Amino acid sequence: MTGIGAERTQEIADRVERFVRDIVVPFERDPRRDHHDCPKDELVTELRELARAAGVLTPHILPDGSHLSQSETAIVLAKTGLSPLGPLACNTAAPDEGNMYLLGKIGSPEIKEHFLKPLVEGRARSAFFMTEPADEGGAGSDPSMMTTTCRPDGNQWVVNGRKAFITGARGAKVGIVMAKAEEGACMFLVDLPDPAITIDHVPNTIDSSMPGGHAVVTIRNLRVPADQMLGHPGEGFKYAQIRLSPARLSHCMRWLGACVRANEIATKYANRRQAFGKTLIDHEGVGFMLADNLIDLKQAELMISWCASVLDTGSLGTNESSMAKVAVSEALMRVADRCVQVMGGSGVTNETIVEQVFREVRAFRIYDGPTEVHKWSLAKKIKRDWQKANP
Ligand SMILES: Cc1cc2nc3c(=O)[nH]c(=O)nc-3n(C[C@H](O)[C@H](O)[C@H](O)COP(=O)(O)OP(=O)(O)OC[C@H]3O[C@@H](n4cnc5c(N)ncnc54)[C@H](O)[C@@H]3O)c2cc1C
């Protein structure tokens, strides 16, 4: 991927940073939240209008539909992440950002016009339907366990099954649904809401940044026109692969931004608060925590930058994004935990975003592949490589 160059990227990143810090941050105390503290759509819509006016809506996709390179995206998305509301305001949030990337890569002109355009314009939200309820033996860490089925019927496909943890399903206009046919996994684009897809419930989860929460849904005789299948029957996982690494990495980018801000807040606290006759920062225990944060944040930034540069060569970057996802999510967890600790009691209140960032990063260690699953797949690669080198 060629991209737009360092200077233009920095110009966009600076504009995004000013917008997030000056305009979005004051909305962090806005009471328009749902019952588990996710921003309501009316709040998101207002923020998007402000982003549009500031010229920072969907800043990683250019007016001609082309994307910034992954290396450039990393710089811009980290700035949108400086507030948990920033990615929503700027339209760089999950799952829309990954879904837009996928549709931009492989959608037909008709699919781009109908499904992608409203997403890029920030007028609609989308949801990605892959995971299934664990207690019914469905797909989770192991997507090959998928139990949702699809079968052709004339020029339509009929989909049946149950899904779980579907971020943003409630309120989404666009759905990407994975189901299994005789030939293997298939991926469909669907208009939402559809009476054949019902939201059973939305569990109360540890995180609170994604509108609509993470729904459990039932799909009953959903009829999808054949031309809304992406690719051919059996190619679903191939297309999921295209989305996988960039979507994984963009979570790292956004949560890096959030942890940079949490660390700024903790640093301010440590430089102002007195205890035992001196400022906290002068107590070695506190100073070392902030020093460790600096090291972890820089390592996270470098891992993201390295993985982005691999993706920019056109590689799927499966192993590299596994390594980056584990390294970054674990490093950010340490950073967020230290920020809470440095701030004492105020670290666990919602007076600052620090406690939310802590909760968000905890969930991030599970979605887009739990740490152990990435390590397991890396271990398989290590074994394969060793066997190849030692026949
Ligand atoms: C906040 C959030 C948002 C999500 N959004 C979406 C979404 O929009 N769409 C969607 O389709 N899904 C979504 N998911 C689901 C997510 O992708 C799954 O939770 C994840 O893939 C793990 O699946 P599981 O929960 O069924 O865990 P399980 O598969 O039951 O695994 C449980 C644990 O077992 C361990 N484990 C599993 N396999 C291995 C292995 N091979 N080696 C070692 N340990 C292993 C890991 O520690 C893992 O955490 C979301 C999840 C969360 C938490």
Side-chain angles (χ1 to χ4, degrees), residues 95 128-132 134 139-142 164-167 207 214 363 366-370 372-373 376:
F128 190 78
F129 295 69
M130 169 105 114
T131 305
E132 298 170 339
S141 302
D142 181 356
F165 290 108
I166 309 307
T167 302
D207 61 318
H214 314 288
I366 291 171
Y367 56 74
D368 273 349
E372 298 72 28
V373 175
W376 167 78

Side-chain angles (χ1 to χ4, degrees), residues 102-103 106-112 114-115 149-159 175-191 222-240:
L102 176 68
L103 297 183
I106 58 162
S108 63
E110 295 75 29
I111 280 183
K112 284 185 181 165
H114 185 77
F115 292 103
T149 60
C150 60
R151 61 175 171 81
D153 184 22
N155 64 350
Q156 293 184 322
W157 284 80
V158 183
V159 184
I176 301 179
V177 177
M178 300 282 301
K180 222 174 192 173
E182 269 175 16
E183 297 88 341
C186 303
M187 191 184 266
F188 298 96
L189 275 162
V190 299
D191 287 301
L222 171 70
R223 293 194 159 266
V224 192
D227 60 4
Q228 285 176 211
M229 177 189 281
L230 284 173
H232 299 287
E235 290 185 336
F237 286 142
K238 187 175 114 190
Y239 289 118

Side-chain angles (χ1 to χ4, degrees), residues 100-222:
M100 288 191 281
Y101 180 86
L102 176 68
L103 297 183
K105 278 264 173 224
I106 58 162
S108 63
E110 295 75 29
I111 280 183
K112 284 185 181 165
E113 178 63 25
H114 185 77
F115 292 103
L116 179 59
K117 196 162 170 245
L119 294 178
V120 173
E121 290 173 354
R123 291 187 281 109
R125 287 200 282 101
S126 61
F128 190 78
F129 295 69
M130 169 105 114
T131 305
E132 298 170 339
D135 55 5
E136 295 169 20
S141 302
D142 181 356
S144 72
M145 289 165 66
M146 191 172 297
T147 57
T148 300
T149 60
C150 60
R151 61 175 171 81
D153 184 22
N155 64 350
Q156 293 184 322
W157 284 80
V158 183
V159 184
N160 278 287
R162 296 195 79 225
K163 296 284 179 186
F165 290 108
I166 309 307
T167 302
R170 195 176 56 184
K173 296 266 169 48
V174 174
I176 301 179
V177 177
M178 300 282 301
K180 222 174 192 173
E182 269 175 16
E183 297 88 341
C186 303
M187 191 184 266
F188 298 96
L189 275 162
V190 299
D191 287 301
L192 297 175
D194 187 302
I197 304 182
T198 49
I199 301 212
D200 299 333
H201 79 119
V202 181
N204 201 355
T205 49
I206 194 172
D207 61 318
S208 48
S209 64
M210 303 184 198
H214 314 288
V216 178
V217 306
T218 299
I219 306 175
R220 204 172 283 116
N221 292 326
L222 171 70

